[in-house]
Amino acid sequence: MTKEGANARQATSSKRRPGLLKKASELYAFCAIEMAIIVLSPRGKPFYFGHPSVDATVDMREHPKMACIDATQQAQTDRQQILEKLNKQYADVLEQLKAGMKGAKELSDIKPLRFENFSFNDFVVFGKWLEDVENAVDKRRTELLALESSSSTPCPGAIKASVRSQNDDKCDDPCKAQVGN
């Protein structure tokens, strides 16, 4: 064996080993099989892949009854962890539902404003409050538009705000806008 031949085999082994381990990983992922692969390089260095692990897979082969018990216990543990996770998600969703129902009840308790009982000063205060709300909405819309322009992915809320803004710019007079509709 020449030095060039040994180097060529080493290079080929180094190039093909990741592909072999990738194929083994895909075989496990697609077929859900238990496997162990031990590859020795031309220089004698070992490389491993195993699922659930090389040791566990080899132990299953050497002691099949023990492996069956271990696999059953592992499956029960996995199921228990999944069940706990699902129960936590259920509890979180239930809390959100309760909060939503509480909010819905609060909204249903709101009484509509009776404008016929408003004094002139009440209208002035109410108008000022509406202006403040409109300014806050415009400020947020501007923030969303700035965020959209700096981001590569458009924000759905910003797109709607942009469309609204373009429609607002077409006609400044609400009376003319209603005539056109």
Side-chain angles (χ1 to χ4, degrees):
M1 181 187 322
T2 66
K3 185 169 179 137
E4 289 116 17
N7 287 340
R9 280 191 293 281
Q10 177 63 34
T12 302
S13 170
S14 295
K15 289 178 185 176
R16 291 187 176 227
R17 183 179 52 250
L20 174 66
L21 297 177
K22 181 180 178 190
K23 289 293 182 187
S25 174
E26 290 172 353
L27 186 61
Y28 158 71
F30 296 137
C31 302
I33 60 173
E34 296 172 355
M35 70 170 64
I37 295 178
I38 302 171
V39 178
L40 296 175
S41 73
R43 293 187 181 153
K45 185 176 178 181
F47 295 93
Y48 306 97
F49 174 82
H51 187 79
S53 72
V54 173
D55 293 335
T57 306
V58 171
D59 286 344
M60 283 185 233
R61 181 74 178 140
E62 291 177 355
H63 310 288
K65 288 185 181 179
M66 286 299 288
C68 183
I69 293 170
D70 290 343
T72 303
Q73 289 174 345
Q74 182 63 39
Q76 288 174 343
T77 303
D78 291 346
R79 279 192 295 270
Q80 185 64 32
Q81 289 173 348
I82 290 169
L83 186 60
E84 288 172 5
K85 182 179 176 183
L86 289 173
N87 281 337
K88 183 178 179 341
Q89 288 175 350
Y90 173 74
D92 292 346
V93 168
L94 194 58
E95 282 297 316
Q96 291 174 357
L97 178 64
K98 286 178 183 177
M101 292 178 75
K102 180 181 176 187
K105 175 151 179 25
E106 290 172 0
L107 285 176
S108 69
D109 292 342
I110 295 175
K111 304 287 186 242
L113 287 175
R114 299 279 180 201
F115 291 110
E116 52 271 357
N117 298 333
F118 269 34
S119 68
F120 179 76
N121 287 336
D122 291 337
F123 276 113
V124 170
V125 170
F126 188 69
K128 174 68 175 129
W129 178 79
L130 284 176
E131 286 176 14
D132 292 344
V133 169
E134 184 179 9
N135 290 338
V137 168
D138 284 342
K139 181 181 175 188
R140 181 64 180 145
R141 179 181 59 170
T142 304
E143 290 171 359
L144 289 172
L145 288 171
L147 180 65
E148 177 198 4
S149 65
S150 67
S151 172
S152 62
T153 14
C155 173
I159 292 171
K160 288 180 184 175
S162 174
V163 169
R164 232 180 291 125
S165 174
Q166 291 170 1
N167 289 341
D168 292 347
D169 293 342
K170 290 179 184 172
C171 182
D172 293 334
D173 187 2
C175 294
K176 291 179 183 174
Q178 289 178 352
V179 170
N181 288 340

